[in-house]
Amino acid sequence: MTAIALNPKRLDVAALEQKVKAMYRDVAVDPHGEFHFEMGRALAERLGYAPADLDAIPSEAIDSFAGVGYYFDLADLRAGETVVDLGSGSGTDSFIAARKVGRAGRVIGIDMTDEQLAKAERLRAALWWGNVTYRKGYIQATGLADASCDAVISNGVINLAPDKGEVFREAARLLKAGGRLALADIVTDVQLPGGITCDATLWAACIGGAMRADAYVAAIESAGLRVRSVRDNPAYRFISDNAQGATKKYGVKSVSIEAVKA
């Protein structure tokens, strides 16, 4: 079984990066605009986020929440741990993680979109979240030290990466022995056709880059992590007609996954 079901060589990666940045720039600055996907607090609660956690973090961050599932029960974050959030966006998950690891812990958010970083940093600074930091970078090349964290988290972002195996290898590199990868992401039941996988616009909409679920799990394990849990997230749904069509035809869906570094 091949670990990478999509062929990134046929995709214009530079165009993809620009489209992703443009879309998530809009997510940060105009969260009430029109998107292929839902956003905000109602979505977060339906996916399983605890109201108490959402009440305790900045509401502006939640307005730009565009996650696809819930995984904090799988992550099992503990006081004092160091967590890296890949694709941290406007900060919803990194702020929640910071609550769970406490003042003795540390959360590092990684994102490539300036507007998302600026919003998250503004909210962090205004509320004195001293155990959270944000860094500009790519999820496949964070620039952080080897074996420097206890957990890596990510929500709805890895499907945007042209080479998902590279992202999983980066996560494995960052994790200490026994560390956990916990994520939610978009996958498919069957392989997407080339007309979709080569369309940068559909990638940016979290559809074109979706990997077949079994290949996605294989890519995680090829990176040196052992997958312990995979579950579907039926509460997540796309809202545009095109996205709903792809969901029905190709089994595009959300899953939450936990893996551990041996």
Side-chain angles (χ1 to χ4, degrees):
M1 179 186 298
T2 179
I4 302 298
L6 303 177
N7 183 358
K9 293 181 180 179
R10 298 179 59 196
L11 176 74
D12 186 336
V13 175
L16 171 63
E17 181 174 329
Q18 293 308 309
K19 286 183 181 293
V20 169
K21 285 183 175 179
M23 179 166 290
Y24 289 92
R25 178 186 310 124
D26 291 344
V27 166
V29 303
D30 185 22
H32 302 294
E34 293 187 5
F35 299 92
H36 288 278
F37 41 79
E38 291 182 82
M39 290 166 49
R41 177 157 182 152
L43 167 65
E45 289 194 14
R46 194 173 75 245
L47 293 177
Y49 283 75
D53 281 339
L54 297 174
D55 288 342
I57 68 171
S59 61
E60 282 188 73
I62 303 169
D63 287 343
S64 293
F65 172 75
V68 302
Y70 184 75
Y71 56 80
F72 278 102
D73 55 332
L74 303 178
D76 190 27
L77 301 181
R78 303 153 197 165
E81 291 191 318
T82 296
V83 180
V84 175
D85 183 1
L86 298 180
S88 49
S90 293
T92 295
D93 282 11
S94 50
F95 287 129
I96 289 176
R99 291 193 72 229
K100 295 183 181 299
V101 301
R103 293 185 178 183
R106 184 185 182 200
V107 178
I108 305 163
I110 304 291
D111 207 282
M112 69 176 185
T113 303
D114 291 335
E115 291 79 5
Q116 292 275 30
L117 287 165
K119 183 173 186 177
E121 176 58 23
R122 173 174 60 81
L123 296 172
R124 184 207 66 78
L127 295 172
W128 295 92
W129 287 73
N131 61 344
V132 181
T133 57
Y134 292 103
R135 293 170 54 113
K136 185 172 183 177
Y138 294 99
I139 61 174
Q140 72 273 19
T142 63
L144 300 174
D146 292 357
S148 58
C149 71
D150 302 286
V152 172
I153 61 175
S154 186
N155 200 336
V157 175
I158 297 174
N159 73 87
L160 299 170
D163 187 340
K164 294 159 185 59
E166 189 176 19
V167 179
F168 296 135
R169 289 190 292 274
E170 177 72 353
R173 183 186 70 80
L174 294 174
L175 286 170
K176 302 173 183 177
R180 293 95 62 205
L181 169 66
L183 62 88
D185 206 8
I186 300 298
V187 298
T188 69
D189 288 330
V190 299
Q191 175 65 47
L192 295 172
I196 293 178
T197 63
C198 297
D199 187 324
T201 299
L202 289 176
W203 275 68
C206 295
I207 298 170
M211 195 174 187
R212 204 178 67 228
D214 58 349
Y216 192 101
V217 169
I220 295 174
E221 297 197 325
S222 293
L225 304 173
R226 180 169 58 87
V227 173
R228 297 199 297 194
S229 176
V230 180
R231 72 177 180 219
D232 288 355
N233 297 318
Y236 183 77
R237 56 180 179 265
F238 290 102
I239 57 177
S240 73
D241 291 340
N242 287 342
Q244 289 179 2
T247 298
K248 293 176 182 178
K249 189 170 184 179
Y250 304 110
V252 180
K253 62 183 180 180
S254 166
V255 294
S256 292
I257 297 175
E258 183 221 357
V260 64
K261 184 174 181 179

